[in-house]
Amino acid sequence: MALKDLISINHLTPKEVRQIFTTTADLKANPRNYAEALAGCSVALIFEKPSLRTRVTFDLGATQMGASCVYLDHQGVRLGERESVKDMALNLERWVDVIVARTYSHETVIELAEHSSVPVINGLSEFSHPCQGLTDYFTLTEKVGEDLSGFHIAYVGDGNNTAHSLIFGAAKLGAHISIGCPKGYEPDKDVLKAARKEAKKTGAKIKVFNDPFEAVEGAQAVYTDVWASMGFEAETERRREIFSAFRVTKKLMNAAAKDAFFMHCLPAHRGDEVDADVIDSKCSIVYDEAENRLHTQKAIMLLLVQANR
Ligand code: CP
Ligand code: NVA
């Protein structure tokens, strides 16, 4: 792994993505072999927004490899308000070996990474959620085998941070991703452009539809996320109307490939983006994804620390 930081899946090479998956699989199968892998290391966990999965899994993951964690929640204060992001980075790098940051602005994670000599991991920004995307594709490798080239995943809903990371992941892995979202809620144009450039090399296909049924046709996995991401709560009611045709229902799942998986990064809102009889059914692998956040993030921390020693 040549990278210093993990800010976006787009910065990884396909080989590095596979290295993360191989390390994740070994960490999952043989956790005791890694009990001292980060002995003596410290990890700062900075969260501007709430979290269950990301916070718990980074904290436990670091601890399971012998590191200690310091959690900084911002009590409603955004990074850079009390002191500059640059100064935070220049302080933290003197004490810790890894910084994990969940921020509103993507620029904040970039700035932290620019000014700190230790690895910075994006634990979700408004732009991307790379640890989630990597975990999701790792989870699919467990279900269908290591080679995801040609695997068809459909993402239905808001063209948000999670969607961006899934698009970049598909591009790296040669998978096919079809996005179904309302007009005006498509993924970022630059993300599509960059991912399609990569797709030319890997054979990935990236399509965007404004009809959920067109998006899921032939899909082997159907993925959704909340309609109003953190920071967009004021739009919840408006979005509920705009997105109502994009709910993942049994009917929509039936329009995908037979035995398609249902996926969600969680937290989920049953009755909004997904019906309970889908997320709570046999086809749902949402808790496998949640479990794998732990193993994937352990691999990410370990590979970044090793690369920067
Ligand atoms: N999926 C995810 O990142 O969950 P949290 O917001 O609870 O961390
Ligand atoms: N898109 C969601 C993901 C939560 C894990 C959000 O940003 O709130």
Side-chain angles (χ1 to χ4, degrees):
M1 184 96 125
L3 278 186
K4 178 179 129 337
D5 311 292
L6 178 61
I7 305 296
S8 166
I9 294 178
N10 198 33
H11 302 154
L12 295 165
T13 62
K15 200 170 153 202
E16 285 169 335
V17 173
R18 282 191 288 275
Q19 187 188 7
I20 291 172
F21 290 174
T22 312
T23 309
T24 302
D26 198 45
L27 269 156
K28 185 171 179 177
N30 307 295
R32 291 214 170 87
N33 292 352
Y34 295 86
E36 301 291 323
L38 293 186
C41 291
S42 313
V43 179
L45 302 168
I46 310 177
F47 282 73
E48 289 185 335
K49 303 177 183 179
S51 170
L52 173 67
R53 281 147 292 272
T54 309
R55 178 181 172 173
V56 170
T57 52
F58 268 113
D59 191 336
L60 287 181
T63 309
Q64 287 171 9
M65 294 191 290
S68 59
C69 290
V70 182
Y71 178 76
L72 295 99
D73 84 9
H74 277 262
Q75 300 154 342
V77 179
R78 291 186 187 216
L79 262 70
E81 283 185 5
R82 183 163 180 265
E83 62 187 299
S84 69
V85 174
K86 178 180 172 181
D87 265 351
M88 279 198 76
L90 293 174
N91 277 261
L92 286 170
E93 68 170 16
R94 299 294 178 107
W95 308 313
V96 304
D97 302 279
V98 178
I99 299 171
V100 177
R102 167 166 289 194
T103 60
Y104 284 96
S105 157
H106 189 62
E107 292 309 311
T108 306
V109 195
I110 293 175
E111 215 182 324
L112 273 175
E114 268 171 12
H115 295 293
S116 101
S117 55
V118 299
V120 171
I121 300 174
N122 177 0
L124 179 150
S125 68
E126 268 170 10
F127 174 72
S128 69
H129 197 1
C131 299
Q132 183 69 52
L134 288 166
T135 301
D136 296 329
Y137 286 112
F138 171 76
T139 305
L140 285 169
T141 66
E142 291 186 311
K143 305 289 176 197
V144 303
E146 268 172 39
D147 184 5
L148 291 180
S149 59
F151 184 88
H152 182 180
I153 180 169
Y155 174 94
V156 178
D158 185 23
N160 62 15
N161 43 11
T162 303
H164 292 163
S165 291
L166 290 171
I167 292 168
F168 283 139
K172 297 290 165 183
L173 292 160
H176 298 176
I177 185 160
S178 43
I179 308 288
C181 51
K183 273 204 169 60
Y185 293 87
E186 291 89 355
D188 186 283
K189 283 197 173 61
D190 291 337
V191 169
L192 292 170
K193 197 171 155 197
R196 283 179 174 141
K197 194 171 165 204
E198 180 79 24
K200 284 199 181 123
K201 291 183 245 163
T202 62
K205 285 187 191 148
I206 299 156
K207 293 184 182 161
V208 180
F209 300 92
N210 294 124
D211 178 335
F213 284 89
E214 280 183 57
V216 303
E217 196 185 324
Q220 295 154 278
V222 177
Y223 197 118
T224 192
D225 184 10
V226 293
W227 290 337
S229 285
M230 292 179 277
F232 295 86
E233 289 85 354
E235 296 179 21
T236 301
E237 280 314 315
R238 197 162 64 87
R239 284 175 176 246
R240 199 166 264 148
E241 281 170 33
I242 294 168
F243 282 85
S244 64
F246 290 80
R247 175 173 305 123
V248 180
T249 58
K250 268 220 157 123
K251 189 175 167 202
L252 190 66
M253 289 302 295
N254 288 338
K258 190 171 174 292
D259 298 326
F261 300 111
F262 172 74
M263 302 179 76
H264 195 308
C265 54
L266 305 179
H269 300 119
R270 289 167 174 77
D272 279 343
E273 75 272 8
V274 60
D275 275 342
D277 61 4
V278 172
I279 192 170
D280 299 323
S281 75
K282 261 195 349 238
C283 72
S284 172
I285 57 170
V286 299
Y287 303 114
D288 295 329
E289 297 170 76
E291 181 197 329
N292 284 335
R293 293 293 301 279
L294 174 71
H295 311 298
T296 310
Q297 288 161 191
K298 283 170 81 171
I300 293 166
M301 284 189 280
L302 182 62
L303 290 169
L304 289 177
V305 168
Q306 283 173 344
N308 290 283
R309 263 191 177 134

